[in-house]
């Protein structure tokens, strides 16, 4: 459950920039929400505030009942590690680590035993269709594969909330489809709450709901029908079905 | 505690990956710089320590021993000319545990003349003190008898024989030819005009060279000969003492006082090499400067490498923080990396010093005015250089990684 109340963010400077001008909304658990709007509307800024990567100027944020703005820096770091997942726009992986090492990193930070985190990360890598690429270095993976590793890493801590900042921005059509179907599946099957920033209108069809931002304000919201979702899940961004991970083909 | 251990393990994991999957050229070059800095510090230290040690050992072995006893003051406060009851004193001294031996010497000013063709046309003379020794005692306190260039050392029964250092005789590679007898050799006859008016002729029995100018500027006759010149017995101008060096000289001086050597002036060997001691002190300053320069070179190199590594991984560091990694883990991983560079550099440096440089300098010692110098690695200085390198590398790893890891996550990721 995400509750945002009158959230404001102003970047100081000679000419202060009011990136968020009082945004309020609720996202119930298990909902896949697309955050859309033109460039400079405040989408990424909003996501950064919610994911504790930045501090808002004012307002309130509750994530699963926790007032995250009251957390100390140390507690915020621990909260991110234990409760949140974040998929960056670019393939934000550690180049010195291979695929599975990137995926299990949060579990290692949590102090889990090697055997246990290898099993969990291995299962997730299997779910994102990369069980045969576990020990490949990041430089040996395609853009789509890297983004799937990033999703596995974001989910490995069993986070209930997943933030994705234009996760398909640098992917080709085929990989966009793979990643979006994966996110939809996660929401359906694991009950993951997902907030995804995107600027491509087609991508919103994978979500349950769309929040439209304009000039730092919530302009409108839109609910996506189940039929549209199903249609997107089966045909959206699809070029070659055989290249999808097995996990995505089962229905 | 468990958290700290877990954080350390995570830092260790990252460090290990940086090393095994990082740029190998950077790794090799950084280690090479650390190695060179370590060698530079210890090579210069080793040479200077070797030189200082040579000065000290030459002074003790061939010049004044460890301790010198000189005449004290009489009851009216005037300086005595000689030490009295020397045989009794020698027995007291030799009874002290740790004393290897002692040798009583007379010293008397003289003019030494050498007339090579005995025509009186080319008389070479110098004003020089002549010392006397009891050869048996002297062999326990000095090593001069081992440095004979020509001829032999004195025997106790010698009366008309004289032994001199090469700086007095001249020739044999002496460096102070102008002040010497310019080429006296063994078998030649010299005339000694003692300051008390006695004149004696001696045959040169031996010429020695320790390569230590202070020791090589001495002339010796036997104790019996000098006592006949002076007309006295059981006296001495000085007593040279050698110790086993298990304790510092101050300890033995205290023991000598306790044993009844009360009226005489007792001094450690350091008091007789004021000029040379100044050189040694200058060497110490040079060593400190070299240590500082070496540490700066190593520290700056490692700092630059870690700085570039952290700056080029700014985005990764931001991401690591975004997924919940503590700053301390990131900083620790880079400190471990810096320590790794330093440790490998030190280890390679130690191996090169031990297996290449030390054997090389033993085979090809440097020729200094006071003798041949090879590397002397002083344990405390060696350990200090290791500890300093490690401390500097910790600092060089900490500062840049701490700066970058404290950066705002958004700024680190998106610049």
């Amino acid at each position: 459950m995400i509750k945002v109340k009158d959230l404001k963010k102003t970047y100081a400077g000679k000419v202060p920039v009011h990136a968020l001008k009082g945004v309020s909304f609720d996202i119930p658990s298990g909902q896949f929400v697309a955050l859309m709007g033109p460039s400079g509307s405040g989408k990424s800024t909003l996501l950064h505030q919610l994911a504790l990567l930045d501090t808002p100027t004012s307002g309130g944020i509750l994530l699963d009942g926790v007032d995250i703005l009251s957390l100390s820096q140390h507690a915020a770091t621990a909260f991110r590690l234990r409760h949140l997942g974040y998929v960056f726009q670019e393939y934000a992986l550690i180049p010195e680590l291979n695929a599975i090492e990137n995926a299990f990193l949060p579990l290692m930070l949590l102090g889990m035993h090697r055997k246990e985190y290898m099993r969990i990360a291995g299962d997730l890598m299997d779910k994102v269709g990369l069980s045969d690429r576990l020990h490949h270095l990041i430089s040996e993976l395609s853009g789509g594969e890297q983004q799937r590793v990033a999703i596995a890493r974001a989910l490995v801590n069993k986070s209930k909330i997943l933030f994705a900042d234009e996760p398909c921005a640098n992917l080709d059509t085929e990989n966009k489809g793979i990643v979006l179907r994966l996110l939809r599946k996660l929401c359906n099957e694991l009950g993951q709450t997902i907030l995804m920033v995107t600027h491509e209108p087609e991508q919103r069809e994978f979500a349950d709901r769309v929040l439209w931002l304009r000039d730092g304000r919530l302009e409108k919201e839109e609910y996506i029908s189940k039929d549209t979702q199903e249609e997107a899940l089966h045909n959206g961004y699809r070029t070659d079905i055989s290249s999808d991970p097995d996990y995505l083909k089962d229905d | 505690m468990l958290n700290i251990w877990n954080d350390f393990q995570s830092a260790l994991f990252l460090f290990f990956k940086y090393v095994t999957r990082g740029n190998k050229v950077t790794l090799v070059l950084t280690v090479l710089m650390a190695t060179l800095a370590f060698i530079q510090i210890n090579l210069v230290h080793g040479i200077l320590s070797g030189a200082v040690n040579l000065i000290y050992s030459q002074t003790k072995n061939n010049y004044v021993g460890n301790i010198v006893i000189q005449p004290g003051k009489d009851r009216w406060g005037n300086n005595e000319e000689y030490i009295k009851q020397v045989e009794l004193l020698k027995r007291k001294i030799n009874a002290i545990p740790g004393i290897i031996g002692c040798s009583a010497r007379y010293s008397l000013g003289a003019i030494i003349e050498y007339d090579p063709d005995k025509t009186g046309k080319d008389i070479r003379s110098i004003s020089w003190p002549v010392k006397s020794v009891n050869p048996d005692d002297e062999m326990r306190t000095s090593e001069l008898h081992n440095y004979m260039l020509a001829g032999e050392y004195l025997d106790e029964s010698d009366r008309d024989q004289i032994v001199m250092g090469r700086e007095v005789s001249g020739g044999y590679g002496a460096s102070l030819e102008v002040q010497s007898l310019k080429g006296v050799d063994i078998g030649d006859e010299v005339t000694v005009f003692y300051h008390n008016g006695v004149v004696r002729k001696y045959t040169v029995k031996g010429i020695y060279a320790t390569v230590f100018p202070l020791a090589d500027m001495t002339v010796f006759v036997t104790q019996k000969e000098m006592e006949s010149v002076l007309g006295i017995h059981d006296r001495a101008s000085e007593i040279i003492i050698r110790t086993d060096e298990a304790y510092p000289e101050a300890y033995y001086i205290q023991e000598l006082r306790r044993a009844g050597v009360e009226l005489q002036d007792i001094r450690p060997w350091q008091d007789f090499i004021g000029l040379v001691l100044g050189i040694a002190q200058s060497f110490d300053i040079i060593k400190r400067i070299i240590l500082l320069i070496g540490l700066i070179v190593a520290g700056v190199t490692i700092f630059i490498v870690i700085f570039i590594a952290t700056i080029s991984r700014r985005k990764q560091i931001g991401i690591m923080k975004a997924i919940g990694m503590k700053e301390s883990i990131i900083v620790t991983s880079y400190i471990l990396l810096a320590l790794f560079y330093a440790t490998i550099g030190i280890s390679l440096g130690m191996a090169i010093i031990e297996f290449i440089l030390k054997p090389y300098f033993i085979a090809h010692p440097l020729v200094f005015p006071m003798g041949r110098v090879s590397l002397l690695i002083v344990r405390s200085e060696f350990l200090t250089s290791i500890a300093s390198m490690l401390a500097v590398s910790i600092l060089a790893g900490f500062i840049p990684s701490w700066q970058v890891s404290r950066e705002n996550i958004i700024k680190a990721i998106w610049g």
Side-chain angles (χ1 to χ4, degrees):
Chain A
M1 175 78 168
I2 302 172
K3 284 176 87 75
V4 177
K5 194 176 176 188
D6 196 24
L7 197 68
K8 291 178 183 169
K9 175 68 181 178
T10 301
Y11 292 105
K14 283 183 181 171
V15 182
V17 176
H18 303 287
L20 297 174
K21 298 171 181 170
V23 177
S24 301
F25 60 84
D26 291 353
I27 299 175
S29 296
Q31 193 170 66
F32 184 174
V33 175
L35 197 56
M36 298 194 70
S39 289
S41 59
K43 305 185 295 291
S44 291
T45 302
L46 176 59
L47 208 66
H48 296 159
Q49 317 308 310
L50 296 179
L52 280 153
L53 302 183
D54 201 0
T55 314
T57 308
S58 66
I61 304 170
L62 292 180
L63 297 184
D64 282 338
V66 178
D67 175 8
I68 60 167
L69 301 183
S70 66
L71 298 176
S72 65
Q73 195 187 343
H74 185 73
T77 303
F79 190 85
R80 277 199 302 273
L81 179 63
R82 290 175 190 282
H83 303 290
L84 303 183
Y86 199 101
V87 181
F88 293 87
Q89 186 173 344
E90 288 175 349
Y91 333 117
L93 300 170
I94 313 301
E96 286 88 359
L97 307 184
N98 63 28
I100 192 151
E101 287 164 351
N102 266 285
F104 71 56
L105 192 58
L107 297 182
M108 195 176 72
L109 296 175
L110 283 168
M112 198 175 274
H113 286 292
R114 179 178 166 79
K115 202 174 165 185
E116 185 75 354
Y117 64 61
M118 285 297 284
R119 185 185 62 73
I120 294 172
D123 286 350
L124 261 173
M125 291 293 280
D126 188 34
K127 275 197 164 64
V128 298
L130 291 174
S131 55
D132 58 339
R133 314 285 273 169
L134 299 182
H135 301 290
H136 282 67
L137 286 175
I138 300 311
S139 56
E140 296 165 349
L141 301 177
S142 70
E145 287 171 330
Q146 288 185 36
Q147 202 60 308
R148 279 187 271 157
V149 174
I151 291 171
R153 184 183 63 192
L155 298 173
V156 80
N157 58 352
K158 294 192 170 70
S159 59
K160 286 289 175 199
I161 302 170
L162 178 69
F163 297 107
D165 187 4
E166 301 199 44
C168 306
N170 295 310
L171 301 183
D172 58 22
T173 306
E174 183 186 345
N175 277 305
K176 279 179 184 171
I178 293 170
V179 169
L180 289 167
R181 265 185 281 284
L182 180 59
L183 293 176
R184 181 69 255 175
K185 282 292 204 178
L186 291 170
C187 184
N188 290 349
E189 296 186 359
L190 302 177
Q192 200 89 34
T193 306
I194 299 175
L195 184 58
M196 177 182 76
V197 169
T198 178
H199 61 274
E200 287 188 36
E202 294 156 272
Q203 291 182 17
R204 80 185 200 287
E205 293 171 1
F206 288 83
D208 298 308
R209 178 184 166 201
V210 184
L211 297 175
W212 293 87
L213 282 181
R214 181 178 287 276
D215 294 332
R217 289 200 172 85
L218 195 60
E219 185 186 42
K220 62 178 179 181
E221 53 182 307
E222 174 193 359
Y223 283 87
I224 306 297
S225 70
K226 286 286 172 199
D227 289 346
T228 309
Q229 271 179 29
E230 284 299 313
E231 173 62 20
L233 198 57
H234 286 96
N235 300 320
Y237 292 107
R238 194 176 285 279
T239 56
D240 177 11
I241 291 171
S242 65
S243 68
D244 279 1
D246 293 342
Y247 164 73
L248 301 172
K249 291 181 203 164
D250 59 7
D251 60 358
Chain B
M1 195 64 190
L2 203 64
N3 269 348
I4 294 170
W5 175 237
N6 181 56
D7 289 354
F8 182 73
Q9 278 186 313
S10 301
L12 205 60
F13 172 78
L14 286 177
F15 147 73
F16 183 69
K17 298 299 173 187
Y18 294 153
V19 171
T20 54
R21 298 199 184 129
N23 189 314
K24 298 290 183 293
V25 176
T26 307
L27 173 73
V28 170
L29 290 178
T30 312
V31 166
L32 184 67
M33 283 303 290
T35 305
L36 291 176
F38 184 75
I39 289 174
Q40 179 238 347
I41 292 168
N42 284 290
L43 182 64
V44 177
H45 275 203
I47 291 170
L48 295 180
S49 297
V52 170
N53 184 61
L54 180 69
I55 293 171
Y56 292 170
S57 60
Q58 287 272 38
T59 304
K60 288 183 276 186
N61 294 339
N62 302 318
Y63 187 45
V64 292
N66 295 89
I67 294 165
V68 180
I69 299 177
Q70 291 179 317
K73 294 187 186 304
D74 61 19
R75 70 183 71 170
W76 296 282
N78 300 317
N79 289 331
E80 296 262 25
E81 194 174 359
Y82 297 108
I83 302 166
K84 292 170 186 162
Q85 294 184 300
V86 168
E87 290 306 319
L88 177 64
L89 268 182
K90 279 167 64 181
R91 280 199 295 276
K92 285 181 181 175
I93 293 165
N94 284 324
I96 296 171
I99 298 284
I100 293 171
C102 67
S103 173
R105 293 173 174 179
Y106 287 104
S107 180
L108 183 60
I111 293 170
I112 307 168
E113 272 189 9
Y114 171 49
D115 185 1
D117 50 11
K118 301 189 190 324
T119 60
K121 292 178 182 172
D122 181 24
I123 295 173
R124 302 161 193 179
S125 70
I126 54 169
S127 180
W128 218 264
V130 174
K131 294 194 174 190
S132 72
V133 289
N134 176 329
D136 288 343
D137 289 345
E138 194 68 17
M139 283 181 192
R140 285 198 294 275
T141 57
S142 105
E143 292 178 6
L144 287 180
H145 58 281
N146 293 326
Y147 290 98
M148 301 309 294
L149 280 177
E152 292 172 10
Y153 195 63
L154 294 167
D155 285 326
E156 198 177 345
S157 57
D158 288 338
R159 295 296 296 270
D160 55 355
Q161 312 265 356
I162 193 166
V163 164
M164 56 183 68
R166 72 171 178 186
E167 300 298 345
V168 179
S169 71
Y172 292 104
S175 55
L176 305 169
E177 290 278 346
V178 179
Q179 296 170 37
S180 72
L181 295 170
K182 299 183 184 79
V184 170
D185 211 338
I186 52 167
D188 288 341
E189 189 176 80
V190 295
T191 309
V192 177
F193 299 87
Y194 288 104
H195 285 181
N196 64 353
V198 175
V199 179
R200 295 278 166 96
K201 288 188 183 298
Y202 296 112
T203 303
V204 177
K205 187 179 185 186
I207 296 171
Y208 66 86
T210 62
V211 202
F212 185 49
L214 286 175
D216 293 346
M217 290 190 291
T218 314
V219 179
F220 291 106
V221 294
T222 59
Q223 184 183 351
K224 281 184 180 159
E225 168 61 14
M226 186 61 91
E227 285 184 341
S228 80
V229 168
L230 290 168
I232 55 175
H233 177 67
D234 201 22
R235 302 270 192 278
S237 303
E238 60 186 17
I239 300 174
I240 306 300
I241 299 171
R242 283 310 301 267
T243 72
D244 59 6
E245 300 190 0
Y247 298 99
E249 278 72 19
Y251 165 82
Y252 291 106
I253 291 173
Q254 209 173 12
E255 289 300 300
L256 285 166
R257 294 285 185 214
R258 269 194 212 138
V261 186
E262 290 164 340
L263 301 173
Q264 290 75 23
D265 189 14
I266 309 177
R267 294 178 180 213
W269 58 274
Q270 291 93 335
D271 285 8
F272 296 85
I273 53 163
L275 180 70
V276 184
L277 212 56
I279 296 172
Q281 282 162 354
S282 301
F283 281 2
D284 271 343
I285 294 168
I286 295 170
K287 283 198 279 186
R288 284 196 200 106
I289 294 169
I290 295 292
L291 175 66
L292 190 67
I293 292 170
L295 290 178
I296 290 171
V297 168
V300 168
T301 304
I302 294 172
F303 181 94
I304 291 170
V305 169
I306 300 292
F307 182 72
I308 292 171
T310 50
I311 288 291
S312 62
R313 290 193 186 110
R314 243 174 109 204
K315 184 177 173 183
Q316 275 77 34
I317 289 172
I319 289 160
M320 287 195 267
K321 284 175 67 181
I323 65 171
M325 190 179 285
K326 292 178 195 166
E327 286 170 18
S328 59
I329 295 175
I330 296 165
V331 171
T332 306
S333 70
Y334 283 102
I335 289 176
L336 288 172
L337 186 62
L339 275 173
F340 175 76
Y341 290 141
T343 307
I344 299 295
I346 289 168
S347 305
L348 282 175
M350 284 167 73
I352 290 169
I353 289 169
E354 193 61 36
F355 299 115
I356 298 174
L357 293 176
K358 267 190 178 177
Y360 175 83
F361 278 99
I362 289 169
H364 307 94
L366 299 171
V367 180
F368 274 44
M370 71 291 278
R372 292 176 183 276
V373 174
S374 62
L375 276 189
L376 176 71
I377 304 297
V378 179
R379 190 182 164 83
S380 62
E381 289 178 352
F382 194 63
L383 292 176
T384 302
S385 70
I386 292 174
S388 308
M389 280 274 284
L390 293 177
V392 164
S393 68
I394 288 173
L395 213 60
F398 171 76
I399 295 171
S401 58
W402 181 73
Q403 278 178 330
V404 174
S405 68
R406 278 175 58 85
E407 210 171 23
N408 176 281
I409 294 175
I410 303 294
K411 203 176 160 196
I413 296 175
W414 284 280

